Amino acid sequence: MFPTVREVLALDPVRHGAPRVVAGDAGLDRPVRWVHVAEVPDIATLLGGGELVLTTGIGLPADDAGLRAFIGDLADVGVSGLVVELGRRYVSGVPRVMAAAAERRGLPLVELRRATPFVRITEAVHALIVDAQLTELRAAEEIHQRFTELSVEGADAAEVIRQAAELSGCPVVLENLSRQVLGYDPAGESAELLLDGWEQHSRRIRPAGRTAYEPDSGWLVTVVGARGQDWGRLLLRWPAGGDAPSARAGEPTVAPPTRLTILVERAASTLALGRLIRRDAEGLERQLHGTLLTALLDHSRPVDEVALRAKALGVALDRRHLVGVMVRQRADDPAGEGGPEAGPARLRDLSEAVGQALREAKLTALTSAVDDNSVGALLALPDPAAEDRALSAFAGALRRVRLDAGSGRTPSGADPSRGGGPGAVIVAAGSGVSSLREARRSLVEARQIAEAARRDRRDLPIFRLPHVGLAGLLHLLREEPRLQTFVERELGPLLEYDAKHPRERLLDTLRAYLEQGRNKSAGAAAAHLSRPAFYERLARIARILDVDLDSVEASLSLHVALLALEAVRAP
């Protein structure tokens, strides 16, 4: 927002004075916050930093020690530079001791070899500062307007990131708590270079505060979250493309202007608000069955109210054995189907097929699409003994309905409702519960199983919890901030260590140890290390993580965190 010393020296009133830089030229890109005229030696006590000091030198000390102290005081307070007009105190040039002190402290020292009214300099510089401030205000107003429109329109994350990159001219990256990239815009730069080794690079970016700039890495970072729950970080790289003077000269990166801080914060709030709106809008757009099913999943309505409304629809949920079921396509975009209408059409077809299968199996249930790829159902059975029979009847009926409709039959004639074909579906069921207050657990479990089962190629009519195991459940929960927080808490120090020492790969050592059942000899063989080297690495891991690797409980926690990390990193 402020002009630099270099830019001030290029102004006409300053050029009229025939300026010459005699020391501290490395600091010419310092910003000038204000211009101050001073003729007394103790002026530093009246300054706040960022000023360009103008003087004729008539009040400066006559001795070398006094001149050194004067320069030191100005440097300590953080002035941008010192301009001395020759002719009154100093005729041919400033004293060498003054130039040497300024050079030693990196303070720009400029001689004006021709008499120049200081008022013209101050007017020109202050006009430049005011114009820059007005430009900054206009930019901030545009930022507020643009992101307000995006919030109202319900723009997705990709559009918010694109707008942030367009307004700033800088690369922008959105990541989750485990440093996995959720979205990015390289702003015309190479995406490959931007994202290469991103996780390790991101772990080294640790600014202080929710929104802060880290000069060493050149990234402006803000936390993304709402309602007290953070779920990611938004990062903007400054300067973009190495176009700042400091980037060319290899000097410390200039801090980004205030408008960019405003921009990343507004973009982050728009992302957080959009996520909340989409989550809440899900339940509003459903039909009544969907509203009630969503209410059970989201806790958006009292359970008693859900039971009352469901009973009015002819679905009695009280005093019933309830089983959550999820049906989804194995592939989000099956081969041979495309275009913007393909996804909603497939979901409508699947929802109709599930409803018809429930009717054919003579089952009572709440049913509705619960997301862009899944249809959920809450079966209400007369007693627990009917659970297996009811699920088998439903799976068989669904298979017949889909075959009869001819939906998704593969060219080879394979059954589209089973196996791994492009039209295959997964039917997953949660644990049965005896109370509507526990129904959410069964529905969530079914959704978790359905997601995890997508990686399972077995031909099962119904997937249940024992079929997917811990790794499958962690794969589904990979986007859950609490799981990512757990991974960071358990493995964060080790991941940061590996980011700084990529050749050691202590995480692989820990994985080998745990996968071999804490057998150190077997772990050393699996890691292709000698036993002494393997033992030394284990000791270092224990120190970094501050854990006892001989503890079963600690090792179990670390093993779960490793499985969760693999799930988070999985595409």
Side-chain angles (χ1 to χ4, degrees):
M1 182 169 63
F2 299 110
T4 64
V5 176
R6 191 188 305 276
E7 291 168 339
V8 169
L9 295 181
L11 294 174
D12 288 341
V14 183
R15 292 173 59 194
H16 174 78
R20 183 170 72 94
V21 180
V22 296
D25 56 352
L28 291 178
D29 290 309
R30 291 180 177 180
V32 177
R33 185 178 60 83
W34 205 245
V35 177
H36 196 88
V37 180
E39 299 294 354
V40 293
D42 58 349
I43 188 61
T45 60
L46 304 178
L47 303 177
E51 297 90 353
L52 181 65
V53 178
L54 308 181
T55 184
T56 63
I58 58 175
L60 297 187
D63 60 302
D64 290 353
L67 289 176
R68 292 191 192 96
F70 174 70
I71 293 296
D73 291 343
L74 293 181
D76 289 341
V77 81
V79 300
S80 299
L82 174 64
V83 178
V84 181
E85 184 188 76
L86 303 181
R88 298 195 182 187
R89 175 68 181 277
Y90 308 119
V91 179
S92 60
V94 298
R96 292 183 179 178
V97 65
M98 181 185 291
E103 183 67 29
R104 186 164 54 251
R105 298 299 300 270
L107 177 68
L109 177 59
V110 181
E111 295 176 343
L112 292 181
R113 291 167 289 172
R114 186 184 304 152
T116 301
F118 283 171
V119 66
R120 294 182 182 175
I121 296 177
T122 58
E123 286 176 346
V125 176
H126 292 168
L128 197 63
I129 291 172
V130 171
D131 286 345
Q133 289 174 330
L134 288 175
T135 300
E136 194 80 357
L137 288 173
R138 294 190 188 100
E141 182 180 358
E142 181 183 359
I143 289 168
H144 283 292
Q145 182 177 352
R146 186 81 65 93
F147 285 105
T148 297
E149 291 173 355
L150 291 174
S151 297
V152 172
E153 293 170 358
D156 59 17
E159 178 63 15
V160 175
I161 295 169
R162 188 189 71 79
Q163 293 281 1
E166 179 181 305
L167 286 170
S168 65
C170 303
V172 177
V173 177
L174 175 65
E175 65 177 16
N176 62 19
L177 297 180
S178 290
R179 310 298 195 265
Q180 307 300 307
V181 176
L182 302 177
Y184 68 93
D185 190 308
E189 299 186 20
S190 168
E192 290 77 10
L193 292 178
L194 177 68
L195 301 179
D196 183 39
W198 175 260
E199 182 180 343
Q200 288 187 341
H201 176 62
S202 174
R203 290 186 183 279
R204 293 192 289 267
I205 304 173
R206 304 184 65 183
R210 289 186 65 83
T211 302
Y213 178 65
E214 189 182 73
D216 292 341
S217 63
W219 284 94
L220 177 62
V221 185
T222 191
V223 176
V224 185
R227 294 179 180 174
Q229 186 176 31
D230 300 331
W231 52 266
R233 296 198 308 176
L234 187 66
L235 301 94
L236 180 148
R237 192 174 69 195
W238 171 265
D243 57 355
S246 61
R248 293 195 303 269
E251 300 167 7
T253 305
V254 177
T258 304
R259 64 180 175 83
L260 291 188
T261 300
I262 296 173
L263 185 147
V264 296
E265 289 181 338
R266 282 305 313 270
S269 64
T270 301
L271 289 166
L273 179 61
R275 180 161 168 157
L276 289 176
I277 290 174
R278 283 189 292 274
R279 183 182 301 168
D280 293 340
E282 237 178 64
L284 297 175
E285 296 174 356
R286 305 296 181 186
Q287 297 296 327
L288 197 48
H289 268 234
T291 300
L292 298 180
L293 201 59
T294 302
L296 290 174
L297 285 168
D298 295 348
H299 291 308
S300 56
R301 293 177 184 271
V303 171
D304 293 341
E305 181 183 340
V306 173
L308 184 62
R309 293 196 174 200
K311 187 175 182 179
L313 290 170
V315 181
L317 300 177
D318 286 332
R319 294 188 293 278
R320 294 292 190 275
H321 183 72
L322 306 175
V323 182
V325 175
M326 290 288 166
V327 182
R328 66 157 296 142
Q329 299 278 355
R330 277 191 183 271
D332 290 340
D333 187 18
E337 297 186 22
E341 302 299 324
R346 288 170 48 231
L347 189 62
R348 284 195 301 271
D349 290 344
L350 184 59
S351 185
E352 291 174 2
V354 169
Q356 185 175 344
L358 289 169
R359 290 190 293 272
E360 287 193 10
K362 296 180 172 58
L363 297 172
T364 301
L366 286 176
T367 181
S368 169
V370 294
D371 56 40
D372 292 340
N373 299 293
S374 304
V375 177
L378 181 63
L379 304 185
L381 308 176
D383 60 77
E387 180 177 317
D388 291 339
R389 185 173 61 255
L391 289 173
S392 297
F394 168 71
L398 179 63
R399 185 165 60 252
R400 289 192 300 273
V401 168
R402 286 174 53 77
L403 285 172
D404 290 344
S407 60
R409 183 179 289 275
T410 62
S412 62
D415 185 341
S417 62
R418 304 183 71 176
V425 298
I426 293 167
V427 181
S431 302
V433 296
S434 58
S435 167
L436 186 57
R437 297 186 185 278
E438 300 177 281
R440 180 181 184 277
R441 174 167 60 83
S442 184
L443 287 166
V444 170
E445 184 178 301
R447 184 159 59 183
Q448 292 173 342
I449 295 169
E451 283 286 345
R454 295 175 64 195
R455 308 172 71 187
D456 195 317
R457 296 293 95 188
R458 287 177 294 176
D459 182 13
L460 300 177
I462 302 283
F463 279 89
R464 305 300 294 268
L465 189 58
H467 296 137
V468 296
L470 177 61
L473 286 180
L474 291 175
H475 174 77
L476 171 69
L477 295 173
R478 64 192 183 278
E479 296 181 2
E480 170 58 50
R482 285 173 292 184
L483 181 66
Q484 297 168 9
T485 300
F486 168 74
V487 172
E488 292 301 306
R489 185 175 65 246
E490 293 292 318
L491 299 175
L494 191 62
L495 293 170
E496 291 171 11
Y497 182 90
D498 275 0
K500 295 177 182 177
H501 309 85
R503 293 186 177 181
E504 296 190 35
R505 301 176 66 87
L506 293 183
L507 191 71
D508 291 343
T509 302
L510 177 62
R511 182 181 291 108
Y513 171 67
L514 295 175
E515 287 181 349
Q516 297 302 318
R518 298 189 300 122
N519 185 315
K520 295 181 181 179
S521 298
H528 305 292
L529 293 170
S530 66
R531 281 190 285 183
F534 189 75
Y535 296 165
E536 191 277 330
R537 288 194 176 195
L538 289 180
R540 198 180 321 155
I541 291 170
R543 288 194 301 270
I544 293 171
L545 296 179
D546 191 23
V547 297
D548 179 7
L549 293 180
D550 291 328
S551 166
V552 174
E553 183 177 354
S555 295
L556 175 61
S557 184
L558 290 174
H559 203 174
V560 172
L562 277 173
L563 292 174
L565 179 64
E566 293 174 0
V568 167
R569 287 176 170 176

